[in-house]
């Protein structure tokens, strides 16, 4: 079976400085895959390469059976990769609803459905995104990605910097999306929430994928060596 997403041997540079030296990962249909590793090991860079926001110097990104390695990011989004970026990045001067509508593409996720999924986004519909709390902005960022009707949802640190109550609401939302069959690739530092959700994990060390397997196979030694726990 071909995976929905396959990254193979990704080499990525920032100008003259190399950040990825061979990242391999795959997300099967309906799977949640956790991309792990200590700070600065290349998680966000891998995500940006997959979402086509950074050029791939060597290696390939395949999505739904097609090589997307040189497509621009808007085409990758159109093919069904929905990114919830680190730091949320909603349009501050658009209202909540305008942010959602700006991303809309035909499919089962409509404005109504997103507002039912996150009732807070209905309550705050006319408010400028800049005036939302961090948790509400995170819901908006996820809602906006859902409005693109993605086949793969990519979440980069979606619970970072949020109060515990809001964080558990976001985790609950992610679990529900997974239960509905959405494929998910995610980075998060809260392993206690991340691991029970993940079907598979990929660990990065200095720009290379050095380990992959199911969460249950992560030993204390692996944690110490690559996750710094
Ligand atoms: P974190 O958990 O801290 O977000 P990360 O695993 O996501 O870390 P990346 O942000 O992908 O790591 O960084 C990987 C490497 O690329 C690091 O050495 C980092 O310094 C470098 N890097 C990241 N962004 C840039 C940039 N815009 N220009 C130059 N180097 C960068």
């Amino acid at each position: 079976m071909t995976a929905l997403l396959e990254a193979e041997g990704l080499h990525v540079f920032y100008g003259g400085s190399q950040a990825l030296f061979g990242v391999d990962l795959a997300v099967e249909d309906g799977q949640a895959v956790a991309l792990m590793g200590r700070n600065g090991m290349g998680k966000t860079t891998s995500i940006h390469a997959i979402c086509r926001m950074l050029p791939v110097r060597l290696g390939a990104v395949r999505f739904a059976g097609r090589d997307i390695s040189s497509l621009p990011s808007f085409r990758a989004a159109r093919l069904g990769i929905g990114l919830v970026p680190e730091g949320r990045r909603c349009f501050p001067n658009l209202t909540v609803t305008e942010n959602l509508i700006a991303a809309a593409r035909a499919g089962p996720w409509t404005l109504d459905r997103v507002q039912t999924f996150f009732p807070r986004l209905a309550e705050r519909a006319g408010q400028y995104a800049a005036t939302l709390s961090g948790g509400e902005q995170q819901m908006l960022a996820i809602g906006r990605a859902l409005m693109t009707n993605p086949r793969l949802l990519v979440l980069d640190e979606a619970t970072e910097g949020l109060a515990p109550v809001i964080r558990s609401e976001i985790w609950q939302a992610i679990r529900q999306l997974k239960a509905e069959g959405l494929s998910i690739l995610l980075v998060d530092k809260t392993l206690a929430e991340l691991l029970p959700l993940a079907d598979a994990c990929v660990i990065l060390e200095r720009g290379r994928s050095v380990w992959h397997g199911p969460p249950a196979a992560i030993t204390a030694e692996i944690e110490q060596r690559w996750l710094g726990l």
Side-chain angles (χ1 to χ4, degrees), residues 25-41:
L25 68 87
V27 182
E28 308 278 343
D29 243 321
Q31 257 194 346
V33 174
L35 185 56
M36 300 163 70
R38 289 171 296 167
N39 287 347
M41 292 303 161

Side-chain angles (χ1 to χ4, degrees), residues 13-15 17-20 36-47 54 86 156-157 160 187 189 204 207:
F13 289 70
Y14 291 102
S17 153
Q18 186 164 2
L20 300 188
M36 300 163 70
R38 289 171 296 167
N39 287 347
M41 292 303 161
K43 302 179 295 295
T44 296
T45 304
S46 299
I47 282 178
L54 279 172
E86 191 172 20
D156 192 358
E157 307 264 18
E160 196 177 29
V187 171
K189 293 199 173 72
L204 301 187

Side-chain angles (χ1 to χ4, degrees), residues 5-227:
L5 172 76
E6 276 178 317
E8 195 186 315
L10 295 185
H11 285 59
V12 171
F13 289 70
Y14 291 102
S17 153
Q18 186 164 2
L20 300 188
F21 298 81
V23 169
D24 296 301
L25 68 87
V27 182
E28 308 278 343
D29 243 321
Q31 257 194 346
V33 174
L35 185 56
M36 300 163 70
R38 289 171 296 167
N39 287 347
M41 292 303 161
K43 302 179 295 295
T44 296
T45 304
S46 299
I47 282 178
H48 285 177
I50 287 165
C51 296
R52 305 299 320 114
M53 294 154 72
L54 279 172
V56 172
R57 183 83 60 95
L58 201 70
V61 182
R62 284 182 289 273
F63 184 69
R66 148 168 198 184
D67 189 333
I68 64 162
S69 313
S70 16
L71 289 189
S73 57
F74 78 92
R75 300 249 340 253
R78 238 183 243 168
L79 286 173
I81 303 182
L83 173 64
V84 180
E86 191 172 20
R88 335 201 219 275
R89 299 184 192 281
C90 305
F91 297 115
N93 301 325
L94 296 186
T95 66
V96 168
T97 299
E98 285 166 349
N99 264 280
L100 293 173
I101 287 172
R105 280 191 336 133
W109 285 98
T110 58
L111 181 61
D112 263 4
R113 185 164 170 213
V114 168
Q115 288 178 332
T116 307
F117 190 70
F118 287 125
R120 209 79 65 87
L121 298 184
E123 288 160 26
R124 302 274 185 266
Q127 230 171 283
Y128 288 113
T131 68
L132 298 178
S133 71
E136 289 163 351
Q137 285 189 22
Q138 191 60 63
M139 290 173 193
L140 180 54
I142 297 173
R144 192 181 48 179
L146 292 173
M147 288 291 286
T148 69
N149 278 286
R151 288 185 67 184
L152 175 72
L153 187 66
V154 181
L155 297 148
D156 192 358
E157 307 264 18
T159 67
E160 196 177 29
L162 302 179
V165 177
I166 306 293
R167 215 186 284 174
S168 52
E169 272 184 56
I170 299 291
W171 279 115
Q172 183 50 36
I174 298 170
R175 282 192 289 269
Q176 194 173 330
L177 292 170
K178 193 201 166 199
E180 289 177 15
L182 192 59
S183 310
I184 299 176
L185 175 64
L186 73 173
V187 171
D188 204 286
K189 293 199 173 72
T190 327
L191 301 193
E193 299 277 11
L194 180 64
L195 293 182
L197 180 100
D199 299 295
C201 303
V202 176
I203 299 180
L204 301 187
E205 170 77 8
R206 295 184 204 180
R208 288 182 177 82
S209 43
V210 291
W211 187 89
H212 66 96
I218 297 179
T219 59
E221 192 204 333
I222 290 172
E223 285 191 347
Q224 258 176 14
R225 182 162 173 202
W226 286 315
L227 304 175

